[in-house]
Amino acid sequence: MENNKNEKIALVVGFFLILLVITITLLRSNLFSGSNTSSQTGSQDSQSLAALGYQTINAKDLQSKLIVAGQHGNITALDIRPFDSYAQEHIIDAVNITPSEFPIGAKIDSHNLVVVVGANGTDSDISKTVDELKKEKFSNILVLAGGMDLWKQLVGVTVTYGDPNSFTDQSKVSYVTPEDLSAALKQNVPTFILDVRSAEDYAKGHIAGAKNIPAEELEKRRSEISENRMVVVGINELQEFQASVQLYDMLLASPFVLKGGMPQWEQKGYPETK
């Protein structure tokens, strides 16, 4: 009886092991298939763009160049999508200029390598943009193969503006009450307070020691931001949340959002300075 029982157990275990191996094999097959599909798409886009006389760069190579160049490097990622698409998600430090906004004059350094970023590899605005750039005597021009669609698949690193209804975005931030923040400051707990309101609102009154970087300047001034125990304060909780998600995407640091924003801090009667 005991032998029969052990044999049955062995059969069941063996069956599940076989299922596990099959499952892993299928997952790996799908994974590599997806990767190959992305690579093939990028290759096809490169060939199509090359046929039009445009030089291309793939997402991985662009990422490497951006890392080497740094924030003040000699590369400009020119995002030509509509502003609402750019605002929702874009490559860090990318400049948003659509074809309808040309000529661009001094908005981009003509000595830079300009990488045109469209929505995808067949974006009709790519050819318009390259032609306009050439008219303005830009000579160092590349096109991102596959555009933002392929960048998100192969690289995945983007700056987003924060959706309060997104579980993913909510997971990027934490919350602190005015009471807890006040107590921490009284106890001299090291805290970097980032005030993302306008310079005018900041001048009217702010938390002592807070650094003012308006929300729209966060990306280009991110080197001024400390990643240690950061609390973001703003005109309301939504502004704080959206700024905090941007900061997480740029710095991979999880900021604290002040519940109720500065109006709640003021309502509680906590001190401000000018």
Side-chain angles (χ1 to χ4, degrees):
M1 292 291 291
E2 186 67 28
N3 288 337
N4 289 337
K5 183 178 180 181
N6 289 337
E7 288 175 1
K8 288 179 180 178
I9 293 174
L11 285 171
V12 171
V13 171
F15 176 76
F16 280 110
L17 285 174
I18 291 170
L19 282 179
L20 179 61
V21 171
I22 292 172
T23 302
I24 292 173
T25 301
L26 289 173
L27 287 173
R28 289 184 64 189
S29 175
N30 289 336
L31 176 63
F32 288 115
S33 174
S35 176
N36 289 336
T37 299
S38 297
S39 299
Q40 289 169 3
T41 301
S43 178
Q44 290 169 357
D45 287 339
S46 296
Q47 291 172 6
S48 299
L49 291 166
L52 295 173
Y54 305 141
Q55 291 183 300
T56 63
I57 184 171
N58 64 51
K60 292 290 187 180
D61 286 345
L62 175 57
Q63 182 189 32
S64 298
K65 286 183 176 293
L66 291 173
I67 291 172
V68 171
Q71 187 176 359
H72 304 292
N74 55 357
I75 298 177
T76 299
L78 177 59
D79 192 322
I80 62 173
R81 298 173 301 151
F83 176 75
D84 56 348
S85 298
Y86 168 86
Q88 183 178 0
E89 189 173 25
H90 62 268
I91 297 170
I92 192 166
D93 290 328
V95 177
N96 180 230
I97 303 176
T98 63
S100 63
E101 297 176 78
F102 278 77
I104 57 177
K107 292 180 182 178
I108 296 178
D109 188 338
S110 60
H111 297 97
N112 280 6
L113 166 63
V114 178
V115 179
V116 178
V117 181
N120 49 54
T122 58
D123 191 333
S124 61
D125 283 340
I126 292 174
S127 58
K128 297 176 186 176
T129 301
V130 173
D131 290 344
E132 291 295 332
L133 286 170
K134 288 180 177 179
K135 286 179 184 178
E136 295 192 45
K137 308 305 180 183
F138 284 83
S139 57
N140 201 1
I141 307 168
L142 296 178
V143 176
L144 176 61
M148 276 299 294
D149 284 352
L150 199 55
W151 173 276
K152 288 187 286 186
Q153 290 180 45
L154 298 179
V155 179
V157 179
T158 58
V159 178
T160 61
Y161 277 68
D163 178 3
N165 298 315
S166 165
F167 176 79
T168 299
D169 285 348
Q170 284 286 355
S171 69
K172 296 176 181 178
V173 303
S174 302
Y175 291 84
V176 62
T177 65
E179 292 83 357
D180 287 342
L181 177 57
S182 177
L185 295 176
K186 286 179 180 178
Q187 296 170 23
N188 294 317
V189 176
T191 304
F192 179 77
I193 301 175
L194 179 62
D195 193 321
V196 297
R197 296 175 299 165
S198 67
E200 292 76 18
D201 285 337
Y202 175 83
K204 293 175 184 176
H206 56 269
I207 300 173
K211 182 175 182 62
N212 179 226
I213 302 180
E216 62 273 15
E217 299 178 16
L218 288 176
E219 197 165 333
K220 66 181 179 182
R221 295 178 59 185
R222 65 182 182 276
S223 61
E224 302 174 34
I225 300 170
S226 170
E227 300 175 25
N228 298 323
R229 192 177 171 79
M230 182 181 2
V231 178
V232 178
V233 300
I235 56 175
N236 54 42
E237 200 170 300
L238 176 60
Q239 184 191 51
E240 295 171 344
F241 175 81
Q242 292 178 327
S244 295
V245 171
Q246 290 181 61
L247 291 167
Y248 178 91
D249 289 343
M250 291 186 291
L251 305 174
L252 293 181
S254 182
F256 285 88
V257 171
L258 179 64
K259 278 191 168 293
M262 279 302 290
Q264 187 68 13
W265 178 270
E266 294 166 351
Q267 185 178 331
K268 297 285 183 179
Y270 293 122
E272 293 182 78
T273 187
K274 294 185 179 181

